Amino acid sequence: SDLREYGSGNTGTTNTFRILGKTAGTATFAIDFLKGTAATLLPFFLHIEGVSPLVFGLLAVIGHTFPIFAGFKGGKAVSVATGTIAALEPVLLVPLAAIFFVTLACGKMVSLASVLCAAAYPLVTLCYQQFFVHAPAAQVGAASVGAAVVGLLVIWLHRGNIARIRAGTEYKFFQKKK
């Protein structure tokens, strides 16, 4: 049986939780998170110079979202992007996790929490680079643009969820299966 035939129709963490339960959902999150982390750290492990780790992270996100061997239908990139962030700037996970879990607690929708984190990610990155790292303008710009690309991709991938949120029909994470 194919997970893509049930629930939201994708292979991501939320759908796996919903269809297969906590153990499978947690395993899916962990694998996808580590996929983003490992890809982002690859240039360090292989001593590759001249290519930003961000590029490797972006490629992991794109490969996860549009996998060749699954008919270009993968997950919505949240777990892989989170792993990428953990490898690049783990401190950014603190404000993003706060946004995610407060939104989830209040709205009970993983999709809404994911979209708000995706929207906040470029701003959180910009503030961190500018005010805490005091990075050069080129680094601030590159990090912010990379964050914006990932954020916009995640939001775009959630466009169906956004329509259901607006219609009041979006799946609530803690609701029982029908």
Side-chain angles (χ1 to χ4, degrees), residues 53-175:
L54 178 61
V55 172
F56 286 79
L58 286 171
L59 290 173
V61 167
I62 292 167
H64 171 80
T65 305
F66 306 107
I68 293 170
F69 299 110
F72 299 98
K73 187 164 173 46
K76 293 184 180 175
V78 176
S79 300
V80 176
T82 303
T84 299
I85 295 166
L88 289 170
E89 292 293 348
V91 69
L92 299 183
L93 293 178
V94 174
L96 294 173
I99 292 166
F100 184 88
F101 288 112
V102 167
T103 303
L104 183 60
C106 294
K108 308 284 189 254
M109 290 179 272
V110 173
S111 57
L112 178 61
S114 298
V115 166
L116 290 180
C117 282
Y121 179 39
L123 181 60
V124 169
T125 299
L126 175 69
C127 290
Y128 175 72
Q129 291 285 322
Q130 186 73 41
F131 300 115
F132 294 101
V133 175
H134 305 290
Q139 181 179 326
V140 172
S144 299
V145 168
V149 168
V150 170
L152 288 171
L153 177 63
V154 168
I155 293 168
W156 180 76
L157 292 168
H158 282 83
R159 64 195 181 283
N161 302 84
I162 293 167
R164 286 188 298 278
I165 290 168
R166 295 175 109 180
T169 59
E170 178 64 326
Y171 172 81
K172 303 265 178 146
F173 190 65
F174 300 105
Q175 90 186 34

Side-chain angles (χ1 to χ4, degrees), residues 27-41 45 60 79-84 86-87:
T28 300
F29 174 80
I31 291 166
D32 289 347
F33 179 91
L34 291 172
K35 186 188 318 177
T37 303
T40 304
L41 295 176
F45 297 143
S79 300
V80 176
T82 303
T84 299

Side-chain angles (χ1 to χ4, degrees), residues 3-4 6-21:
L3 182 63
R4 292 172 291 177
Y6 303 96
S8 67
N10 74 51
T11 59
T13 298
T14 303
N15 199 42
T16 304
F17 261 105
R18 185 181 312 145
I19 304 304
L20 300 177

